[in-house]
Amino acid sequence: IGSINVITLNINRFVQNILFDEEYDEDKHLGLITSELQKQIRDIHKYQVAVEALFKDFENKGMLPAYTANFISLEKQYRTIGINGLVEAAEYLGYEASNNTKYKNFVSTMLKTISDVNKDSGYPGAKFNTELVPGENLGVKFAKWDNIDQLVVTRDCYNSYLYPVENEELSIIDKFVLHGDETTKYLDGGSALHLNLEDTPTKETCDKLLAIAVKTGCNYFCLNVKVTICNDCNHIDKQTNRSCTKCGSKNIDYATRVIGYLRRVTNFSKERQTEEQQRYYHNA
């Protein structure tokens, strides 16, 4: 269960290093990008197989008690290719990261390329998979490192989804489509749509959202409501308010998911707090 290790590829850096500031032409360059991507994934596989060999050595020497007790099995674990910076890479190439055919084709082409190499890795018995990593800290680090190397960086934190979190024009249905079967069918790991809502949805709204998920083939999504926490009386509201509805205090905090886990917004990193402020919350 789970992964032996995860090596995450910064797609934004990857495509910029290939083009060297040359103007992108899809007919001319997309084949080059996918060809280089195949080579990159095969190189990553080598590192992952080396890590697996190290784990097997540890196991043989009795240094991994959870494995020797059969709680975990190396044979059943994945070697995971993580993906981050895909939205930023697409924007750099001139695609609009929204529910449109060109962008969705680019995303599915990139993910299919990785999936195909994973299936034909040349390492019999080794299980490779691909996922959009949460990147709670890594999305910030990638942007910082790319800035240092003078690459094109448009955000202080790279998106962990297949859409820009600040885009107010994307509808709820658009987001389900972008995380639906058209794009995520080549992902066999994390591909979660985090749908940000202004208020806790009713049962009827949840039924409609589930129907949309089925229709679009979105098999992994969660609902985020920025809840209000009163620092004086500790009351929690399942909606975003400017004051406590119980005691009236304005000494409040908010909580939502960083990406994968829930915590107070004031405990986010500085860059993540900025990213959270840019998130668009739908009125469902």
Side-chain angles (χ1 to χ4, degrees), residues 171-183:
S171 69
I172 288 174
I173 293 177
D174 287 331
K175 291 179 180 179
F176 272 103
V177 170
L178 288 173
H179 279 261
D181 186 61
E182 285 185 77
T183 53

Side-chain angles (χ1 to χ4, degrees), residues 79-220:
R79 300 123 195 93
T80 298
I81 308 292
I83 300 298
N84 193 246
L86 186 55
V87 165
E88 288 70 25
E91 291 174 338
Y92 172 80
L93 297 176
Y95 296 105
E96 179 186 339
S98 65
N99 183 13
N100 69 81
T101 301
K102 282 194 171 185
Y103 172 64
K104 289 184 290 186
N105 285 345
F106 169 73
V107 170
S108 60
T109 297
M110 296 293 283
L111 297 180
K112 182 180 185 302
T113 299
I114 299 171
S115 176
D116 288 347
V117 178
N118 283 346
K119 291 175 182 176
D120 186 26
S121 67
Y123 297 101
K127 298 171 66 175
F128 297 94
N129 74 329
T130 314
E131 68 173 47
L132 298 178
V133 296
E136 282 94 349
N137 295 315
L138 190 59
V140 174
K141 290 178 179 178
F142 275 168
K144 180 179 178 181
W145 294 335
D146 288 354
N147 255 321
I148 291 172
D149 288 342
Q150 299 183 340
L151 299 176
V152 175
V153 177
T154 57
R155 297 178 180 87
D156 291 335
C157 178
Y158 287 172
N159 280 277
S160 298
Y161 319 107
L162 295 178
Y163 63 89
V165 296
E166 73 277 5
N167 191 330
E168 299 182 9
E169 296 181 1
L170 290 175
S171 69
I172 288 174
I173 293 177
D174 287 331
K175 291 179 180 179
F176 272 103
V177 170
L178 288 173
H179 279 261
D181 186 61
E182 285 185 77
T183 53
T184 63
K185 60 185 174 183
Y186 299 112
L187 285 171
D188 35 24
S191 60
L193 162 63
H194 284 238
L195 190 61
N196 297 320
L197 302 176
E198 288 186 349
D199 202 349
T200 304
T202 63
K203 178 183 179 301
E204 290 74 18
T205 298
C206 287
D207 288 342
K208 291 178 181 178
L209 293 175
L210 285 170
I212 295 171
V214 171
K215 183 71 174 179
T216 58
C218 178
N219 58 14
Y220 187 9

Side-chain angles (χ1 to χ4, degrees), residues 55-74:
F55 268 69
K56 285 182 178 178
D57 186 49
F58 287 161
E59 183 180 23
N60 292 335
K61 292 178 179 177
M63 298 171 67
L64 298 176
Y67 287 82
T68 52
N70 294 321
F71 288 111
I72 308 175
S73 171
L74 279 171

